[in-house]
Amino acid sequence: MSALVLLFVCLVLGMLVARFARPPSGMVHGLNWWVINIALPALVLELIPKVKPDPQLWFLVVAMWLVFAGGWLVFALVGRWRGWSRQRIGALVLVCGLGNTSFMGYPMAQALHGKAGLSLAVVADQLGCFPLLASVGIVVACLYAGRSPQPRVIVRRILTFPAFIALILGIVVGVLGGWPAWLDGVFAPIGETLTPLALFSVGLQFRFHPDGGQWGAMGWGLGWKLLAAPLLCWVVGVVAGVGGLVLTIGVLQAAMAPMVSAAILADEYDLEPALANTVLGAGIVLSLLTVPLGNLWLPAG
C-alpha cells in the first residue's frame, strides 16, 4: 500500500507544482532526460542480468503487440463508422495502442509485485513497447499525417536508445554470470530515482481539457486501453498456457495508461494533439484505480 501511495503522492505533487509553484522552464525536459538516459538504463543494467530464462517470456512481448495491433484495427473500424478524421484515428492508435510501460509500468509493477514483477515489466517495455514506439509507432504517425517513413531514422532511433543498449549489455552480462557485487550496488540507487522523478514529471505534464467533441473518442480509446486490451491479453495468455507472474505482469503492462511519449509523437505529427493529451491525462488518473483492481483478479506469482 505504501508503494502505491508513493506513486499517487509523486503524481499529485507534480500536478500541484505545475499549477501553483511556477517551476523553472525546461524542468520537465531535464527530469525526462535524467529518467530516460540515466535512471532507466541503470535500472535495466541492474535487473536484466537477474532475469531467469523462462519459456513463457514471449508473452510479455506479444501482449504489447496485441494491444497495438488490436487498437489499430478497432480505431480504424470505429473511425470509419463514426466518420473520424485520419488525424483522430492516428492519435488514438498511438496513445491507446502504446502503454506507459516504463514511467508508470515500472513503479506499478514494483509496488504490486516487488523486484520480480519489476524485472518482468522491464522485459515487456524494452522488448515490446519501446521497439513498437520507435518502429511501427513512427510508421503509423507518418501514414496518418501523410508523410513517408524513413527506415534509417527508425533503425538509428532504436539502436542508439540508451536503455536498449543497456538491455543488450545486460543480457550479455547475465549470460556471463552477472555484475560484481560492488558494481551492482551502484546501479540500484540510480535506478531507484526513476519512480519518483517519472511520476513527478507525469504530474507536471498532466492536462485534461476535453471539449464536447472529444468524449466519444476518449471513451473508445480508454475503453480499449484500460479494459478490452488487457482482457484480450489475458485470454490469449490463458489459452496459450501462460501462468503465474509472467501472465500477471503481461496483462498489467497491457492495462497501463496511454504512453506519454506517444502523445508527444502525436503532437509532433499534428495528429489531434488536444485529444491525445486529454486521453493521456484521463488515462493516467483512471489507471491508478483500474490497474490495482485488475491485479486482484490475476495470479500473485
Side-chain angles (χ1 to χ4, degrees):
M1 181 59 70
S2 61
L4 290 175
V5 171
L6 173 64
L7 305 187
F8 181 76
V9 168
C10 291
L11 179 67
V12 171
L13 185 60
M15 295 166 62
L16 292 175
V17 167
R19 177 68 177 84
F20 299 107
R22 296 182 181 178
S25 61
M27 184 175 183
V28 169
H29 177 76
L31 289 173
N32 289 348
W33 189 93
W34 171 269
V35 168
I36 291 172
N37 294 287
I38 305 296
L40 181 54
L43 190 65
V44 172
L45 288 172
E46 178 203 358
L47 295 176
I48 288 299
K50 301 174 184 176
V51 174
K52 298 178 180 178
D54 187 330
Q56 295 185 338
L57 290 179
W58 63 267
F59 175 70
L60 299 171
V61 178
V62 169
M64 302 301 98
W65 282 84
L66 281 174
V67 175
F68 188 86
W72 193 351
L73 176 63
V74 167
F75 301 132
L77 293 175
V78 173
R80 179 178 298 180
W81 168 49
R82 303 281 292 179
W84 290 344
S85 66
R86 290 181 59 83
Q87 288 75 19
R88 171 162 290 191
I89 295 172
L92 288 177
V93 172
L94 288 176
V95 296
C96 295
L98 295 163
N100 203 330
T101 51
S102 55
F103 276 34
M104 295 195 70
Y106 290 179
M108 293 283 273
Q110 184 172 17
L112 295 170
H113 295 284
K115 282 285 188 177
L118 177 58
S119 298
L120 295 176
V122 170
V123 174
D125 177 60
Q126 289 300 304
L127 292 179
C129 213
F130 164 69
L132 266 171
L133 168 69
S135 57
V136 186
I138 294 177
V139 171
V140 166
C142 290
L143 290 176
Y144 284 93
R147 305 184 193 179
S148 298
Q150 298 179 330
R152 288 184 180 180
V153 174
I154 293 173
V155 172
R156 184 171 67 248
R157 189 166 184 169
I158 294 174
L159 295 181
T160 60
F161 187 62
F164 186 77
I165 297 173
L167 174 70
I168 302 302
L169 181 57
I171 292 173
V172 173
V173 169
V175 171
L176 296 177
W179 300 106
W182 63 269
L183 187 55
D184 189 50
V186 172
F187 295 135
I190 297 175
E192 287 173 359
T193 65
L194 184 144
T195 293
L197 293 183
L199 269 295
F200 182 72
S201 175
V202 169
L204 286 174
Q205 301 171 77
F206 181 83
R207 300 290 184 273
F208 184 65
H209 302 294
D211 61 36
Q214 292 178 349
W215 287 102
M218 184 169 62
W220 279 102
L222 294 179
W224 167 256
K225 187 68 195 71
L226 302 181
L227 297 174
L231 180 59
L232 171 64
C233 292
W234 177 80
V235 170
V236 170
V238 170
V239 170
V242 179
L245 195 56
V246 173
L247 175 66
T248 295
I249 296 300
V251 173
L252 291 181
Q253 285 288 59
M256 288 299 160
M259 181 189 282
V260 175
S261 298
I264 295 173
L265 188 63
D267 182 66
E268 180 183 342
Y269 283 81
D270 197 27
L271 298 175
E272 202 164 339
L275 173 64
N277 284 286
T278 296
V279 171
L280 174 67
I284 287 172
V285 172
L286 289 174
S287 69
L288 292 173
L289 297 174
T290 57
V291 171
L293 287 174
N295 181 68
L296 296 175
W297 297 88
L298 294 166

